[in-house]
Amino acid sequence: MNLLNLGCGKRFHPAWINVDFVVTGPGVREHDLRTGIPFGAGTFDVVYHSHVLEHFSQEQGRLFLGECLRVLRPGGLIRVAVPDLERIATGYLQALANAMAGAHADYDWMMLELYDQTVRERPGGKMQEYLAQNPLPNEPFIRARIGKEMDQIVVHAQRPAPIRSAVRPHGLMRKIRHYIRRPDQIREMVLRRILRDEYRLLELGRFRRRGEVHLWMYDRYSLRRELTAAGFIAPQSQSATTSACAGWHEFQLDTDATGVVYKPDSLFMEARKPN
């Protein structure tokens, strides 16, 4: 089968063609998926993407699903994993009830899970600040929410910030040579002087377009509706370990070799391209 893994990140398999916005490993093809999928119509038997769709706006997401339909062969399968808004909302309501009884740590986390990656204005946001606590006040709860990837996130969050020393070349000629070799720094210096206080808005806009924030969210109803609107048929909810893709568990894209789910907060859904 011809298999396509879009927005693969660090989870890819050599049996698949793996594409991401940047190169994340051997054989991963770099491509901006906002401009479409760089393959011809009817090329693949299976298209898979995990925690990618929510990083597009609703309108961009519809175009992206349309591209997935285009590159699939008739009868081909799409598998989509996204954060499950229904589970997040249910978890929030339960945490709210517990907070009213005095247990506030889980509530604090659920508020971050609900909002932080949508509204954050800097990398990592408040979620990273929360995970930087040592010890974490509710580690078992968070681990049950975000799964195996918690270890990697916590290590990054608790890592000391690097000490950066500003390079200040002395002498006019040294300064000229220094900045000639760094045209990006010259551009930023000019922009800061021209925009002044509005330069912060430019930085915010750049961050918001970098792909870290969530621009839309899905539940089992809305994702089924979007897949159907894109032209897919027979959308079905799945688990991390079940799939109509033959040998799914062998690829270890949603689970590791022992069956542990990478992102247990996910909604998994599959659908077909009509014959």
Side-chain angles (χ1 to χ4, degrees):
M1 294 191 298
N2 288 337
L3 309 169
L4 179 61
N5 181 5
L6 297 171
C8 61
K10 295 290 186 180
R11 291 204 304 275
F12 47 85
H13 190 280
W16 294 65
I17 293 176
N18 303 286
V19 180
D20 206 343
F21 290 87
V22 295
V23 175
T24 55
V28 175
R29 178 168 176 171
E30 180 177 344
H31 180 73
D32 186 348
L33 294 170
R34 292 172 298 186
T35 65
I37 299 175
F39 300 100
T43 304
F44 296 97
D45 299 287
V46 181
V47 170
Y48 163 77
H49 46 85
S50 173
H51 288 243
V52 173
L53 187 61
E54 70 275 12
H55 294 279
F56 292 101
S57 68
Q58 188 180 28
E59 293 74 18
Q60 290 172 328
R62 289 169 177 168
L63 294 174
F64 180 60
L65 289 177
E67 278 288 279
C68 294
L69 184 76
R70 181 185 65 81
V71 300
L72 275 172
R73 293 171 177 166
L77 180 74
I78 185 173
R79 179 179 176 91
V80 180
V82 291
D84 189 346
L85 178 59
E86 180 181 14
R87 291 187 62 187
I88 293 174
T90 301
Y92 160 75
L93 291 173
Q94 182 61 58
L96 174 61
N98 294 340
M100 296 300 292
H104 61 83
D106 294 350
Y107 172 83
D108 292 340
W109 174 260
M110 289 309 305
M111 284 294 292
L112 293 175
E113 198 170 326
L114 184 65
Y115 272 116
D116 180 60
Q117 203 160 345
T118 300
V119 303
R120 67 177 55 165
E121 298 182 356
R122 62 185 183 279
K126 291 187 176 181
M127 188 176 286
Q128 182 169 300
E129 292 179 9
Y130 190 95
L131 292 174
Q133 298 178 89
N134 191 10
L136 281 169
N138 53 343
E139 179 177 341
F141 176 80
I142 299 174
R143 189 174 297 278
R145 292 292 311 172
I146 64 176
K148 191 173 182 178
E149 293 196 342
M150 173 180 171
D151 296 326
Q152 179 180 351
I153 299 172
V154 168
V155 167
H156 178 75
Q158 296 182 355
R159 184 182 303 150
I163 299 175
R164 298 179 180 178
S165 58
V167 178
R168 295 185 177 89
H170 298 288
L172 178 60
M173 293 307 299
R174 287 185 180 181
K175 288 182 179 180
I176 292 174
R177 286 195 295 268
H178 173 81
Y179 287 111
I180 286 177
R181 290 194 296 266
R182 295 166 177 82
D184 289 346
Q185 289 188 10
I186 297 177
R187 182 189 64 188
E188 294 305 307
M189 287 174 58
V190 172
L191 287 173
R192 283 193 184 95
R193 289 183 176 276
I194 294 174
L195 297 177
R196 297 184 181 276
D197 294 341
E198 293 182 356
Y199 183 77
R200 168 59 185 152
L201 298 178
L202 173 63
E203 290 182 311
L204 177 59
R206 286 171 172 172
F207 169 72
R208 297 284 299 180
R209 289 183 57 85
R210 200 173 297 153
E212 179 176 328
V213 297
H214 290 171
L215 299 179
W216 200 252
M217 293 291 283
Y218 299 89
D219 52 36
R220 55 196 166 112
Y221 172 75
S222 60
L223 184 56
R224 181 180 290 111
R225 184 171 61 180
E226 293 295 336
L227 287 168
T228 302
F232 292 97
I233 61 172
Q236 296 289 329
S237 294
Q238 298 285 358
S239 71
T241 57
T242 61
S243 175
C245 176
W248 173 250
H249 66 283
E250 299 174 3
F251 301 125
Q252 298 177 27
L253 294 177
D254 285 330
T255 60
D256 67 9
T258 65
V260 175
V261 181
Y262 290 118
K263 292 180 176 289
D265 60 333
S266 299
L267 167 66
F268 304 95
M269 191 168 289
E270 295 180 353
R272 292 278 183 183
K273 180 175 181 175
N275 286 312

